Amino acid sequence: MDLFIYLFAALFSVLNPIGTVPIFVGLTQHDSQKERSRISLWTAINVFIILLVSYFIGQYVLTFFGISIDALRIAGGIVIVNSGFSLLSGKFNKKRGINKKIENEAQQRNDIALTPLAIPMLAGPGSISLLIAFYQEHHEIDEIIISSLAILAIGIAIFVILKSAHYLARILGASGIVAISRIVGFIVISIGIQYIVSSIINIIKGNLM
């Protein structure tokens, strides 16, 4: 249960589906409730598939390119910290690759579940590198099952949040969403720094031994 909660909390902080609510509302403001539900479902499915593939296949990508796990953790930590600072400064949407041109193009398309919603708004470099590094430390059968369930739970949470996005936007308001995003941003920064610090310690120990 501790492993499940840790991975779920870490992914939720990095993906920050609450911060996606205003963009989802803007992109689906002219859609019917049925269409919003469909987009929410497929966004969640796409994110789940992307995260699951990253978790299981990511290590082989590292091996192919000769990248060490500590190097990945440091790079991922920097990306995660950058996302956290973006959340704190209120520039998260721009940092996730969503500008006015992309938003306008997305509004003209029928299906936005894969891009820009699943990628890059939700499943980005931070969450992918987090999962690759996580697999290196937790790859026993029971840990893999628990981790897969945590990823599934994230997908379900994304579906529920996006499906309720228009309602949440009315309840929380812009200021409420910003406040939650900045609290999450602080947690994200802490996760990224922990990744960087632990990797540096491992590198130092490896060189001293």
Side-chain angles (χ1 to χ4, degrees):
M1 182 58 69
D2 290 342
L3 185 67
F4 177 90
I5 294 174
Y6 172 80
L7 183 57
F8 179 87
L11 285 174
F12 191 89
S13 299
V14 174
L15 269 66
N16 186 32
I18 297 293
T20 308
V21 167
I23 300 176
F24 181 86
V25 171
L27 293 177
T28 61
Q29 57 184 328
H30 301 302
D31 294 328
S32 64
Q33 183 61 45
K34 181 179 180 180
E35 179 65 10
R36 292 171 186 168
S37 297
R38 187 192 68 82
I39 294 174
S40 301
L41 176 61
W42 277 105
T43 299
I45 292 174
N46 289 333
V47 171
F48 171 72
I49 293 174
I50 293 168
L51 295 183
L52 206 62
V53 169
S54 300
Y55 179 69
F56 286 106
I57 307 299
Q59 59 170 334
Y60 301 106
V61 176
L62 292 185
T63 302
F64 179 80
F65 287 103
I67 302 173
S68 70
I69 185 60
D70 288 321
L72 175 79
R73 288 171 67 91
I74 292 175
I78 293 173
V79 173
I80 293 171
V81 169
N82 184 53
S83 297
F85 276 117
S86 299
L87 283 167
L88 285 175
S89 63
K91 299 177 180 179
F92 184 71
N93 297 341
K94 183 183 297 184
K95 295 292 184 179
R96 297 302 285 266
I98 304 300
N99 53 37
K100 194 64 179 178
K101 179 180 178 181
I102 295 176
E103 182 176 348
N104 290 336
E105 290 177 353
Q107 287 176 332
Q108 295 172 1
R109 292 182 307 192
N110 292 327
D111 196 352
I112 58 174
L114 181 59
T115 56
L117 290 177
I119 300 175
M121 284 174 54
L122 290 166
S127 58
I128 292 173
S129 58
L130 186 152
L131 284 171
I132 295 175
F134 192 82
Y135 181 85
Q136 298 294 321
E137 300 176 358
H138 306 280
H139 49 263
E140 300 295 332
I141 295 299
D142 57 336
E143 293 175 329
I144 290 175
I145 294 174
I146 294 172
S147 300
S148 299
L149 290 175
I151 295 173
L152 176 61
I154 280 293
I156 295 173
I158 289 173
F159 169 68
V160 172
I161 290 172
L162 293 185
K163 184 176 173 60
S164 310
H166 287 259
Y167 178 75
L168 289 174
R170 290 195 298 268
I171 296 298
L172 296 176
S175 59
I177 293 174
V178 168
I180 293 175
S181 294
R182 292 186 176 178
I183 293 173
V184 172
F186 184 77
I187 298 174
V188 170
I189 292 173
S190 302
I191 293 173
I193 291 177
Q194 182 61 51
Y195 265 61
I196 295 172
V197 170
S198 61
S199 298
I200 292 175
I201 292 175
N202 287 338
I203 293 173
I204 294 175
K205 286 182 177 179
N207 291 332
L208 293 178
M209 293 179 63

Short mmCIF file of all heavy atoms in Angstrom, two decimals, residues 110-175:
data_model
loop_
_atom_site.label_atom_id
_atom_site.label_comp_id
_atom_site.label_asym_id
_atom_site.label_seq_id
_atom_site.Cartn_x
_atom_site.Cartn_y
_atom_site.Cartn_z
N ASN A 110 -11.56 17.45 -34.22
CA ASN A 110 -12.59 16.69 -33.54
C ASN A 110 -12.04 15.93 -32.34
O ASN A 110 -12.72 15.76 -31.34
CB ASN A 110 -13.26 15.71 -34.51
CG ASN A 110 -14.05 16.44 -35.57
OD1 ASN A 110 -14.63 17.49 -35.30
ND2 ASN A 110 -14.08 15.89 -36.78
N ASP A 111 -10.81 15.44 -32.44
CA ASP A 111 -10.26 14.60 -31.40
C ASP A 111 -8.99 15.23 -30.83
O ASP A 111 -7.97 15.31 -31.50
CB ASP A 111 -9.95 13.20 -31.93
CG ASP A 111 -9.74 12.21 -30.81
OD1 ASP A 111 -9.69 12.65 -29.65
OD2 ASP A 111 -9.62 11.02 -31.10
N ILE A 112 -9.06 15.67 -29.59
CA ILE A 112 -7.91 16.29 -28.94
C ILE A 112 -7.42 15.42 -27.79
O ILE A 112 -6.59 15.86 -26.99
CB ILE A 112 -8.29 17.69 -28.40
CG1 ILE A 112 -9.48 17.58 -27.42
CG2 ILE A 112 -8.61 18.64 -29.54
CD1 ILE A 112 -9.83 18.89 -26.74
N ALA A 113 -7.92 14.19 -27.71
CA ALA A 113 -7.59 13.33 -26.57
C ALA A 113 -6.11 12.96 -26.53
O ALA A 113 -5.53 12.88 -25.44
CB ALA A 113 -8.45 12.06 -26.61
N LEU A 114 -5.50 12.73 -27.70
CA LEU A 114 -4.09 12.36 -27.72
C LEU A 114 -3.19 13.59 -27.63
O LEU A 114 -2.34 13.69 -26.74
CB LEU A 114 -3.76 11.56 -28.98
CG LEU A 114 -2.30 11.09 -29.10
CD1 LEU A 114 -1.91 10.23 -27.91
CD2 LEU A 114 -2.09 10.34 -30.41
N THR A 115 -3.38 14.50 -28.57
CA THR A 115 -2.66 15.78 -28.51
C THR A 115 -3.66 16.91 -28.66
O THR A 115 -4.56 16.84 -29.51
CB THR A 115 -1.63 15.89 -29.66
OG1 THR A 115 -2.31 15.71 -30.91
CG2 THR A 115 -0.54 14.87 -29.52
N PRO A 116 -3.62 17.93 -27.84
CA PRO A 116 -2.55 18.18 -26.87
C PRO A 116 -2.83 17.67 -25.46
O PRO A 116 -2.01 17.89 -24.56
CB PRO A 116 -2.49 19.71 -26.86
CG PRO A 116 -3.92 20.11 -27.04
CD PRO A 116 -4.51 19.09 -27.99
N LEU A 117 -3.97 17.00 -25.21
CA LEU A 117 -4.33 16.67 -23.83
C LEU A 117 -3.41 15.60 -23.21
O LEU A 117 -2.78 15.85 -22.17
CB LEU A 117 -5.78 16.21 -23.76
CG LEU A 117 -6.82 17.32 -24.01
CD1 LEU A 117 -8.23 16.75 -23.98
CD2 LEU A 117 -6.68 18.43 -22.97
N ALA A 118 -3.34 14.42 -23.85
CA ALA A 118 -2.49 13.36 -23.27
C ALA A 118 -1.02 13.72 -23.37
O ALA A 118 -0.25 13.58 -22.41
CB ALA A 118 -2.77 12.03 -23.97
N ILE A 119 -0.62 14.20 -24.55
CA ILE A 119 0.74 14.68 -24.79
C ILE A 119 0.66 16.06 -25.40
O ILE A 119 -0.05 16.24 -26.40
CB ILE A 119 1.50 13.76 -25.78
CG1 ILE A 119 1.60 12.34 -25.23
CG2 ILE A 119 2.91 14.28 -26.04
CD1 ILE A 119 2.22 11.36 -26.22
N PRO A 120 1.31 17.11 -24.92
CA PRO A 120 2.26 17.05 -23.81
C PRO A 120 1.69 17.50 -22.46
O PRO A 120 2.43 17.60 -21.49
CB PRO A 120 3.33 18.04 -24.27
CG PRO A 120 2.52 19.11 -24.96
CD PRO A 120 1.37 18.39 -25.63
N MET A 121 0.39 17.80 -22.41
CA MET A 121 -0.15 18.42 -21.19
C MET A 121 -0.07 17.52 -19.97
O MET A 121 0.24 17.98 -18.87
CB MET A 121 -1.60 18.84 -21.43
CG MET A 121 -1.75 20.09 -22.26
SD MET A 121 -3.48 20.43 -22.64
CE MET A 121 -4.16 20.43 -21.00
N LEU A 122 -0.34 16.23 -20.14
CA LEU A 122 -0.36 15.32 -18.99
C LEU A 122 0.89 14.43 -18.96
O LEU A 122 1.72 14.56 -18.06
CB LEU A 122 -1.64 14.47 -19.02
CG LEU A 122 -2.92 15.26 -18.71
CD1 LEU A 122 -4.17 14.47 -19.08
CD2 LEU A 122 -2.96 15.64 -17.23
N ALA A 123 1.02 13.54 -19.90
CA ALA A 123 2.17 12.63 -19.93
C ALA A 123 3.33 13.31 -20.64
O ALA A 123 3.38 13.33 -21.87
CB ALA A 123 1.80 11.33 -20.63
N GLY A 124 4.25 13.85 -19.86
CA GLY A 124 5.39 14.55 -20.41
C GLY A 124 6.70 13.91 -19.98
O GLY A 124 6.71 12.83 -19.37
N PRO A 125 7.82 14.56 -20.25
CA PRO A 125 9.14 13.99 -19.90
C PRO A 125 9.30 13.71 -18.41
O PRO A 125 9.95 12.74 -18.03
CB PRO A 125 10.11 15.10 -20.35
CG PRO A 125 9.36 15.86 -21.39
CD PRO A 125 7.93 15.83 -20.97
N GLY A 126 8.70 14.56 -17.57
CA GLY A 126 8.83 14.37 -16.13
C GLY A 126 8.24 13.05 -15.66
O GLY A 126 8.89 12.28 -14.94
N SER A 127 7.01 12.77 -16.06
CA SER A 127 6.35 11.54 -15.63
C SER A 127 7.00 10.31 -16.27
O SER A 127 7.12 9.26 -15.63
CB SER A 127 4.86 11.58 -16.00
OG SER A 127 4.69 11.78 -17.40
N ILE A 128 7.43 10.42 -17.52
CA ILE A 128 8.06 9.29 -18.20
C ILE A 128 9.39 8.92 -17.54
O ILE A 128 9.66 7.75 -17.25
CB ILE A 128 8.27 9.61 -19.69
CG1 ILE A 128 6.91 9.70 -20.40
CG2 ILE A 128 9.16 8.56 -20.37
CD1 ILE A 128 6.99 10.18 -21.84
N SER A 129 10.23 9.93 -17.27
CA SER A 129 11.51 9.65 -16.62
C SER A 129 11.31 9.15 -15.20
O SER A 129 12.07 8.30 -14.71
CB SER A 129 12.39 10.91 -16.62
OG SER A 129 11.74 11.98 -15.95
N LEU A 130 10.30 9.66 -14.53
CA LEU A 130 9.99 9.20 -13.18
C LEU A 130 9.68 7.70 -13.18
O LEU A 130 10.17 6.95 -12.33
CB LEU A 130 8.81 9.99 -12.61
CG LEU A 130 8.41 9.75 -11.14
CD1 LEU A 130 7.75 11.00 -10.57
CD2 LEU A 130 7.44 8.58 -10.99
N LEU A 131 8.89 7.25 -14.14
CA LEU A 131 8.50 5.84 -14.21
C LEU A 131 9.67 4.94 -14.60
O LEU A 131 9.81 3.83 -14.07
CB LEU A 131 7.35 5.66 -15.21
CG LEU A 131 5.98 6.11 -14.70
CD1 LEU A 131 4.97 6.09 -15.83
CD2 LEU A 131 5.52 5.22 -13.56
N ILE A 132 10.51 5.41 -15.51
CA ILE A 132 11.67 4.62 -15.91
C ILE A 132 12.59 4.40 -14.71
O ILE A 132 13.06 3.28 -14.46
CB ILE A 132 12.43 5.30 -17.06
CG1 ILE A 132 11.56 5.35 -18.32
CG2 ILE A 132 13.73 4.56 -17.36
CD1 ILE A 132 12.18 6.12 -19.47
N ALA A 133 12.84 5.48 -13.97
CA ALA A 133 13.69 5.38 -12.79
C ALA A 133 13.03 4.52 -11.72
O ALA A 133 13.70 3.75 -11.02
CB ALA A 133 14.00 6.78 -12.25
N PHE A 134 11.73 4.62 -11.59
CA PHE A 134 11.00 3.87 -10.58
C PHE A 134 11.10 2.37 -10.85
O PHE A 134 11.24 1.57 -9.92
CB PHE A 134 9.54 4.31 -10.56
CG PHE A 134 8.76 3.80 -9.38
CD1 PHE A 134 8.82 4.46 -8.16
CD2 PHE A 134 7.97 2.67 -9.48
CE1 PHE A 134 8.11 4.00 -7.06
CE2 PHE A 134 7.25 2.20 -8.41
CZ PHE A 134 7.32 2.87 -7.19
N TYR A 135 11.05 1.99 -12.12
CA TYR A 135 11.12 0.57 -12.48
C TYR A 135 12.48 -0.02 -12.11
O TYR A 135 12.56 -1.20 -11.73
CB TYR A 135 10.87 0.39 -13.97
CG TYR A 135 10.89 -1.07 -14.42
CD1 TYR A 135 9.75 -1.85 -14.32
CD2 TYR A 135 12.06 -1.65 -14.92
CE1 TYR A 135 9.76 -3.18 -14.72
CE2 TYR A 135 12.08 -2.98 -15.31
CZ TYR A 135 10.93 -3.73 -15.21
OH TYR A 135 10.95 -5.05 -15.59
N GLN A 136 13.53 0.77 -12.21
CA GLN A 136 14.86 0.28 -11.88
C GLN A 136 14.97 -0.14 -10.42
O GLN A 136 15.72 -1.05 -10.08
CB GLN A 136 15.90 1.38 -12.17
CG GLN A 136 15.99 1.80 -13.62
CD GLN A 136 16.49 0.70 -14.52
OE1 GLN A 136 17.39 -0.05 -14.15
NE2 GLN A 136 15.92 0.59 -15.71
N GLU A 137 14.18 0.49 -9.56
CA GLU A 137 14.24 0.20 -8.13
C GLU A 137 13.14 -0.75 -7.68
O GLU A 137 13.24 -1.36 -6.62
CB GLU A 137 14.13 1.51 -7.34
CG GLU A 137 15.25 2.51 -7.63
CD GLU A 137 15.06 3.82 -6.89
OE1 GLU A 137 14.03 3.96 -6.19
OE2 GLU A 137 15.92 4.70 -7.04
N HIS A 138 12.08 -0.87 -8.48
CA HIS A 138 10.92 -1.69 -8.09
C HIS A 138 10.50 -2.56 -9.28
O HIS A 138 9.60 -2.19 -10.03
CB HIS A 138 9.76 -0.80 -7.64
CG HIS A 138 10.13 0.18 -6.57
ND1 HIS A 138 10.21 -0.17 -5.24
CD2 HIS A 138 10.45 1.49 -6.63
CE1 HIS A 138 10.56 0.89 -4.52
NE2 HIS A 138 10.71 1.91 -5.34
N HIS A 139 11.15 -3.70 -9.43
CA HIS A 139 10.85 -4.57 -10.57
C HIS A 139 10.56 -6.00 -10.16
O HIS A 139 10.62 -6.91 -11.00
CB HIS A 139 12.00 -4.53 -11.58
CG HIS A 139 13.36 -4.74 -10.97
ND1 HIS A 139 14.17 -3.68 -10.64
CD2 HIS A 139 14.01 -5.86 -10.59
CE1 HIS A 139 15.28 -4.14 -10.10
NE2 HIS A 139 15.21 -5.47 -10.07
N GLU A 140 10.25 -6.23 -8.90
CA GLU A 140 9.75 -7.53 -8.48
C GLU A 140 8.30 -7.69 -8.96
O GLU A 140 7.61 -6.70 -9.22
CB GLU A 140 9.83 -7.68 -6.97
CG GLU A 140 11.24 -7.56 -6.40
CD GLU A 140 12.15 -8.69 -6.86
OE1 GLU A 140 11.63 -9.78 -7.13
OE2 GLU A 140 13.37 -8.47 -6.95
N ILE A 141 7.84 -8.94 -9.06
CA ILE A 141 6.52 -9.20 -9.60
C ILE A 141 5.43 -8.45 -8.83
O ILE A 141 4.56 -7.79 -9.43
CB ILE A 141 6.21 -10.71 -9.60
CG1 ILE A 141 7.15 -11.46 -10.54
CG2 ILE A 141 4.76 -10.95 -10.02
CD1 ILE A 141 7.05 -11.03 -11.98
N ASP A 142 5.47 -8.53 -7.50
CA ASP A 142 4.44 -7.86 -6.71
C ASP A 142 4.53 -6.35 -6.84
O ASP A 142 3.51 -5.65 -6.87
CB ASP A 142 4.53 -8.27 -5.23
CG ASP A 142 5.91 -7.99 -4.64
OD1 ASP A 142 6.89 -7.92 -5.41
OD2 ASP A 142 6.00 -7.84 -3.40
N GLU A 143 5.76 -5.83 -6.96
CA GLU A 143 5.94 -4.38 -7.12
C GLU A 143 5.44 -3.93 -8.49
O GLU A 143 4.87 -2.83 -8.62
CB GLU A 143 7.41 -4.01 -6.95
CG GLU A 143 7.93 -4.22 -5.52
CD GLU A 143 9.42 -3.97 -5.41
OE1 GLU A 143 10.14 -4.21 -6.41
OE2 GLU A 143 9.87 -3.54 -4.33
N ILE A 144 5.65 -4.75 -9.52
CA ILE A 144 5.17 -4.41 -10.86
C ILE A 144 3.64 -4.36 -10.88
O ILE A 144 3.04 -3.46 -11.47
CB ILE A 144 5.68 -5.44 -11.89
CG1 ILE A 144 7.19 -5.27 -12.09
CG2 ILE A 144 4.95 -5.30 -13.22
CD1 ILE A 144 7.81 -6.31 -13.00
N ILE A 145 3.01 -5.32 -10.20
CA ILE A 145 1.54 -5.35 -10.14
C ILE A 145 1.01 -4.11 -9.43
O ILE A 145 0.07 -3.45 -9.91
CB ILE A 145 1.06 -6.63 -9.43
CG1 ILE A 145 1.40 -7.86 -10.26
CG2 ILE A 145 -0.45 -6.56 -9.18
CD1 ILE A 145 1.10 -9.17 -9.57
N ILE A 146 1.62 -3.78 -8.29
CA ILE A 146 1.19 -2.61 -7.53
C ILE A 146 1.40 -1.33 -8.33
O ILE A 146 0.54 -0.44 -8.36
CB ILE A 146 1.93 -2.53 -6.19
CG1 ILE A 146 1.53 -3.71 -5.29
CG2 ILE A 146 1.65 -1.21 -5.47
CD1 ILE A 146 2.35 -3.82 -4.02
N SER A 147 2.55 -1.23 -9.00
CA SER A 147 2.84 -0.05 -9.81
C SER A 147 1.86 0.09 -10.96
O SER A 147 1.41 1.21 -11.28
CB SER A 147 4.27 -0.12 -10.35
OG SER A 147 5.22 -0.19 -9.29
N SER A 148 1.53 -1.04 -11.59
CA SER A 148 0.56 -1.00 -12.70
C SER A 148 -0.81 -0.55 -12.20
O SER A 148 -1.52 0.21 -12.88
CB SER A 148 0.45 -2.39 -13.34
OG SER A 148 1.69 -2.79 -13.87
N LEU A 149 -1.18 -1.00 -11.00
CA LEU A 149 -2.46 -0.58 -10.42
C LEU A 149 -2.44 0.92 -10.10
O LEU A 149 -3.46 1.61 -10.27
CB LEU A 149 -2.75 -1.38 -9.14
CG LEU A 149 -3.09 -2.87 -9.36
CD1 LEU A 149 -3.23 -3.56 -8.02
CD2 LEU A 149 -4.36 -3.01 -10.18
N ALA A 150 -1.29 1.42 -9.65
CA ALA A 150 -1.17 2.86 -9.37
C ALA A 150 -1.32 3.67 -10.65
O ALA A 150 -1.97 4.73 -10.67
CB ALA A 150 0.17 3.16 -8.70
N ILE A 151 -0.73 3.19 -11.74
CA ILE A 151 -0.85 3.87 -13.03
C ILE A 151 -2.30 3.83 -13.51
O ILE A 151 -2.82 4.82 -14.04
CB ILE A 151 0.09 3.22 -14.07
CG1 ILE A 151 1.55 3.43 -13.67
CG2 ILE A 151 -0.16 3.81 -15.46
CD1 ILE A 151 2.54 2.67 -14.53
N LEU A 152 -2.96 2.68 -13.31
CA LEU A 152 -4.37 2.57 -13.66
C LEU A 152 -5.21 3.55 -12.85
O LEU A 152 -6.13 4.20 -13.38
CB LEU A 152 -4.86 1.14 -13.43
CG LEU A 152 -6.36 0.89 -13.67
CD1 LEU A 152 -6.73 1.17 -15.12
CD2 LEU A 152 -6.73 -0.55 -13.28
N ALA A 153 -4.89 3.66 -11.55
CA ALA A 153 -5.62 4.59 -10.68
C ALA A 153 -5.45 6.03 -11.14
O ALA A 153 -6.38 6.83 -11.07
CB ALA A 153 -5.15 4.43 -9.23
N ILE A 154 -4.25 6.36 -11.65
CA ILE A 154 -4.00 7.70 -12.18
C ILE A 154 -4.88 7.94 -13.41
O ILE A 154 -5.47 9.02 -13.57
CB ILE A 154 -2.52 7.87 -12.55
CG1 ILE A 154 -1.69 8.17 -11.30
CG2 ILE A 154 -2.33 9.00 -13.55
CD1 ILE A 154 -1.98 9.52 -10.66
N GLY A 155 -4.98 6.92 -14.26
CA GLY A 155 -5.85 7.04 -15.43
C GLY A 155 -7.29 7.29 -15.05
O GLY A 155 -7.98 8.13 -15.64
N ILE A 156 -7.76 6.55 -14.04
CA ILE A 156 -9.14 6.73 -13.56
C ILE A 156 -9.34 8.12 -12.98
O ILE A 156 -10.35 8.79 -13.23
CB ILE A 156 -9.49 5.65 -12.52
CG1 ILE A 156 -9.49 4.26 -13.17
CG2 ILE A 156 -10.84 5.94 -11.88
CD1 ILE A 156 -9.64 3.12 -12.20
N ALA A 157 -8.34 8.58 -12.20
CA ALA A 157 -8.43 9.92 -11.60
C ALA A 157 -8.48 11.00 -12.67
O ALA A 157 -9.25 11.97 -12.56
CB ALA A 157 -7.24 10.15 -10.67
N ILE A 158 -7.69 10.83 -13.73
CA ILE A 158 -7.69 11.80 -14.84
C ILE A 158 -9.06 11.82 -15.50
O ILE A 158 -9.60 12.90 -15.81
CB ILE A 158 -6.59 11.45 -15.86
CG1 ILE A 158 -5.22 11.74 -15.26
CG2 ILE A 158 -6.79 12.24 -17.15
CD1 ILE A 158 -4.07 11.28 -16.12
N PHE A 159 -9.64 10.64 -15.73
CA PHE A 159 -10.96 10.58 -16.36
C PHE A 159 -12.00 11.30 -15.50
O PHE A 159 -12.80 12.10 -16.01
CB PHE A 159 -11.37 9.12 -16.55
CG PHE A 159 -12.82 8.96 -16.95
CD1 PHE A 159 -13.27 9.39 -18.19
CD2 PHE A 159 -13.73 8.39 -16.08
CE1 PHE A 159 -14.60 9.26 -18.56
CE2 PHE A 159 -15.07 8.25 -16.43
CZ PHE A 159 -15.50 8.69 -17.68
N VAL A 160 -12.01 11.04 -14.19
CA VAL A 160 -12.99 11.65 -13.30
C VAL A 160 -12.83 13.16 -13.26
O VAL A 160 -13.81 13.92 -13.33
CB VAL A 160 -12.87 11.06 -11.87
CG1 VAL A 160 -13.75 11.83 -10.90
CG2 VAL A 160 -13.24 9.59 -11.87
N ILE A 161 -11.57 13.62 -13.17
CA ILE A 161 -11.31 15.06 -13.08
C ILE A 161 -11.71 15.77 -14.37
O ILE A 161 -12.37 16.82 -14.35
CB ILE A 161 -9.83 15.32 -12.75
CG1 ILE A 161 -9.54 14.89 -11.30
CG2 ILE A 161 -9.48 16.81 -12.93
CD1 ILE A 161 -8.08 14.93 -10.94
N LEU A 162 -11.32 15.22 -15.53
CA LEU A 162 -11.65 15.86 -16.79
C LEU A 162 -13.15 15.80 -17.07
O LEU A 162 -13.72 16.75 -17.62
CB LEU A 162 -10.88 15.20 -17.94
CG LEU A 162 -9.36 15.40 -17.94
CD1 LEU A 162 -8.73 14.81 -19.20
CD2 LEU A 162 -8.99 16.88 -17.80
N LYS A 163 -13.77 14.70 -16.72
CA LYS A 163 -15.22 14.58 -16.92
C LYS A 163 -15.97 15.62 -16.09
O LYS A 163 -17.04 16.11 -16.47
CB LYS A 163 -15.69 13.17 -16.54
CG LYS A 163 -17.17 12.90 -16.80
CD LYS A 163 -17.52 11.46 -16.49
CE LYS A 163 -19.02 11.22 -16.58
NZ LYS A 163 -19.55 11.51 -17.92
N SER A 164 -15.39 15.96 -14.93
CA SER A 164 -16.01 16.96 -14.04
C SER A 164 -15.39 18.34 -14.20
O SER A 164 -15.62 19.22 -13.36
CB SER A 164 -15.85 16.50 -12.57
OG SER A 164 -16.27 15.17 -12.39
N ALA A 165 -14.58 18.52 -15.26
CA ALA A 165 -13.80 19.75 -15.41
C ALA A 165 -14.65 21.01 -15.41
O ALA A 165 -14.34 21.99 -14.73
CB ALA A 165 -12.96 19.68 -16.69
N HIS A 166 -15.73 21.00 -16.17
CA HIS A 166 -16.57 22.20 -16.27
C HIS A 166 -17.23 22.51 -14.92
O HIS A 166 -17.37 23.67 -14.53
CB HIS A 166 -17.63 22.02 -17.36
CG HIS A 166 -17.07 22.09 -18.74
ND1 HIS A 166 -17.17 23.21 -19.54
CD2 HIS A 166 -16.37 21.18 -19.48
CE1 HIS A 166 -16.58 22.98 -20.70
NE2 HIS A 166 -16.09 21.76 -20.69
N TYR A 167 -17.60 21.46 -14.20
CA TYR A 167 -18.18 21.65 -12.87
C TYR A 167 -17.12 22.16 -11.90
O TYR A 167 -17.37 23.08 -11.10
CB TYR A 167 -18.76 20.33 -12.37
CG TYR A 167 -19.34 20.38 -10.99
CD1 TYR A 167 -20.56 21.00 -10.73
CD2 TYR A 167 -18.65 19.82 -9.92
CE1 TYR A 167 -21.08 21.05 -9.45
CE2 TYR A 167 -19.17 19.87 -8.63
CZ TYR A 167 -20.39 20.48 -8.41
OH TYR A 167 -20.89 20.53 -7.13
N LEU A 168 -15.91 21.57 -11.94
CA LEU A 168 -14.83 21.99 -11.04
C LEU A 168 -14.43 23.44 -11.31
O LEU A 168 -14.13 24.19 -10.38
CB LEU A 168 -13.61 21.08 -11.23
CG LEU A 168 -13.73 19.65 -10.71
CD1 LEU A 168 -12.50 18.84 -11.11
CD2 LEU A 168 -13.91 19.66 -9.19
N ALA A 169 -14.43 23.82 -12.60
CA ALA A 169 -14.05 25.19 -12.96
C ALA A 169 -15.03 26.19 -12.35
O ALA A 169 -14.62 27.27 -11.90
CB ALA A 169 -14.01 25.35 -14.47
N ARG A 170 -16.32 25.82 -12.29
CA ARG A 170 -17.30 26.72 -11.69
C ARG A 170 -17.17 26.76 -10.17
O ARG A 170 -17.31 27.81 -9.55
CB ARG A 170 -18.72 26.29 -12.08
CG ARG A 170 -19.07 26.50 -13.53
CD ARG A 170 -20.57 26.39 -13.76
NE ARG A 170 -21.07 25.06 -13.42
CZ ARG A 170 -21.17 24.06 -14.28
NH1 ARG A 170 -20.77 24.24 -15.54
NH2 ARG A 170 -21.65 22.90 -13.90
N ILE A 171 -16.88 25.60 -9.57
CA ILE A 171 -16.79 25.53 -8.10
C ILE A 171 -15.51 26.19 -7.58
O ILE A 171 -15.55 27.03 -6.67
CB ILE A 171 -16.84 24.06 -7.64
CG1 ILE A 171 -18.18 23.44 -7.98
CG2 ILE A 171 -16.57 23.96 -6.13
CD1 ILE A 171 -19.37 24.09 -7.33
N LEU A 172 -14.36 25.80 -8.16
CA LEU A 172 -13.08 26.30 -7.67
C LEU A 172 -12.79 27.71 -8.15
O LEU A 172 -12.21 28.52 -7.42
CB LEU A 172 -11.95 25.37 -8.13
CG LEU A 172 -11.98 23.94 -7.58
CD1 LEU A 172 -10.86 23.12 -8.20
CD2 LEU A 172 -11.87 23.93 -6.06
N GLY A 173 -13.20 27.99 -9.38
CA GLY A 173 -12.86 29.29 -9.96
C GLY A 173 -11.39 29.33 -10.35
O GLY A 173 -10.61 28.44 -10.01
N ALA A 174 -11.01 30.37 -11.04
CA ALA A 174 -9.63 30.50 -11.50
C ALA A 174 -8.65 30.56 -10.34
O ALA A 174 -7.59 29.94 -10.35
CB ALA A 174 -9.49 31.74 -12.38
N SER A 175 -9.01 31.31 -9.29
CA SER A 175 -8.11 31.47 -8.14
C SER A 175 -7.93 30.16 -7.40
O SER A 175 -6.83 29.85 -6.91
CB SER A 175 -8.66 32.54 -7.19
OG SER A 175 -9.95 32.18 -6.73
#
